Amino acid sequence: MQILTDPAIFIWNKEGFIEASMTSGSNVITEWSWTPSESAIYTVQGLGNRSFSANFTYRKVEEGSQYNVSVTAVNSVSNSSTSLVVSVYHGINGISFNCSSEIIAEENATFIFRMAPATFSPNGSLSAEIYYGDNSTSEILNLTTRLAEMKTYGVSLTKVYAIPGNFSILFRMYTEWDELNFTCNIIVCELLISVLSFDKYAKRNEEIIFDFLNETSLNFNVSVNFGDGTVYENNSYILFDPYSIQPFSKIYNGLGEHNITTTICNSCFCVSRSKPINIFGMVIVNVFFMIERVYRNEFYEYFR
């Protein structure tokens, strides 16, 4: 029976594994010792030539430490021993990543990543790559010389999204031995500048058409309070689809001035505007009575 191992690299406080193989033996118990007081026992099942992994987590380590790990394999008929060198490095820890959640198209989206001040700096060269989710080229950063900045104010990036939409961002931070990934979503909206159009004066009991004077290219949700206790709402339009909002109508039964409040919303924000409408009744003029009065007055003036 013989046990074989290869040199291994571990990241502090993260589980790692050592690949090993055995040439023969059954019901083998292996003991792994990396310090006088720390060891672990693994039972290897099976027969003949086979491979297995031994998992460990190193929690006590000095920067860039190397450990000589001894391995003993024993069963009821024989035993074997070997040793290997394990390198243990500080990995990427204490990182926070934040991004803007909602922005207007053509405005800056902000990305900030920080490292907790008390965190061990990772061994090796620290780099980051950010994928912005809009088919643009990813951006690569060398952070090895910016660790102090990361532990104080943080490192920030800005990105301008020209097209509205929902974008998934991937932020990947890595060294030669460790990697950490973060994701976030950004909703990019266009500015809501549509205005509801209608006649300022309208007749009672007649249909009034409402439509938007539109400078917005995408759909939005609509809510209109007509000022008489009735409300029109339409949330069925698919946001980020091309503008397809249809006109709608309303009939007022009462006279007087009503204040119409329109609220339109996209995925980022809402805009409200108010505008009055005056509802009047039919003006009935007694034409014959007016004509009779005119002629009667002229007759009196003639014979007076």
Side-chain angles (χ1 to χ4, degrees), residues 126-147:
L126 180 63
S127 300
E129 186 170 11
I130 182 167
Y131 302 84
Y132 292 109
D134 61 347
N135 295 322
S136 63
T137 303
S138 63
E139 187 170 353
I140 298 178
L141 304 171
N142 183 354
L143 300 176
T144 305
T145 60
R146 305 181 71 176
L147 293 174

Side-chain angles (χ1 to χ4, degrees), residues 60-281:
K60 298 178 181 179
V61 62
E62 296 180 0
E63 183 172 325
S65 296
Q66 287 188 330
Y67 291 85
N68 189 50
V69 178
S70 60
V71 189
T72 301
V74 179
N75 65 5
S76 60
V77 296
S78 65
N79 65 76
S80 176
S81 63
T82 188
S83 64
L84 72 153
V85 175
V86 172
S87 299
V88 183
Y89 298 106
H90 286 297
I92 303 171
N93 289 283
I95 303 296
S96 63
F97 176 68
N98 302 100
C99 67
S100 307
S101 57
E102 298 169 351
I103 63 168
I104 303 300
E106 303 295 345
E107 292 185 355
N108 281 336
T110 303
F111 307 88
I112 301 176
F113 47 97
R114 296 181 174 88
M115 180 179 289
T119 302
F120 287 112
S121 298
N123 295 119
S125 299
L126 180 63
S127 300
E129 186 170 11
I130 182 167
Y131 302 84
Y132 292 109
D134 61 347
N135 295 322
S136 63
T137 303
S138 63
E139 187 170 353
I140 298 178
L141 304 171
N142 183 354
L143 300 176
T144 305
T145 60
R146 305 181 71 176
L147 293 174
E149 182 183 356
M150 290 176 61
K151 291 184 178 184
T152 51
Y153 305 105
V155 175
S156 63
L157 300 172
T158 58
K159 160 76 174 177
V160 174
Y161 287 87
I163 301 174
N166 193 340
F167 300 94
S168 296
I169 288 81
L170 171 63
F171 178 74
R172 186 173 72 94
M173 188 174 288
Y174 57 93
T175 65
E176 294 89 336
W177 308 286
D178 198 14
E179 180 175 324
L180 201 59
N181 294 323
F182 299 88
T183 59
C184 70
N185 289 323
I186 292 182
I187 298 176
V188 181
C189 298
E190 64 178 345
L191 195 63
L192 288 174
I193 51 178
S194 296
V195 177
L196 188 64
S197 174
F198 53 89
D199 292 332
K200 184 176 181 180
Y201 298 94
K203 295 179 182 179
R204 179 178 61 183
N205 297 328
E206 287 193 3
E207 185 179 46
I208 306 165
I209 302 299
F210 296 84
D211 198 4
F212 284 97
L213 297 175
N214 189 45
E215 297 184 36
T216 301
S217 62
L218 302 178
N219 284 333
F220 47 78
N221 293 326
V222 180
S223 176
V224 180
N225 188 325
F226 293 108
D228 64 346
T230 62
V231 175
Y232 168 84
E233 290 187 344
N234 195 331
N235 299 323
S236 62
Y237 295 108
I238 300 176
L239 304 181
F240 295 113
D241 271 10
Y243 181 86
S244 60
I245 297 174
Q246 300 299 311
F248 52 94
S249 63
K250 157 75 175 173
I251 295 175
Y252 281 93
N253 298 319
L255 301 175
E257 182 179 275
H258 303 275
N259 197 44
I260 297 179
T261 300
T262 305
T263 301
I264 57 176
C265 301
N266 57 24
S267 296
C268 296
F269 60 95
C270 296
V271 174
S272 294
R273 296 182 178 90
S274 295
K275 182 180 176 181
I277 186 171
N278 290 275
I279 306 299
F280 58 87

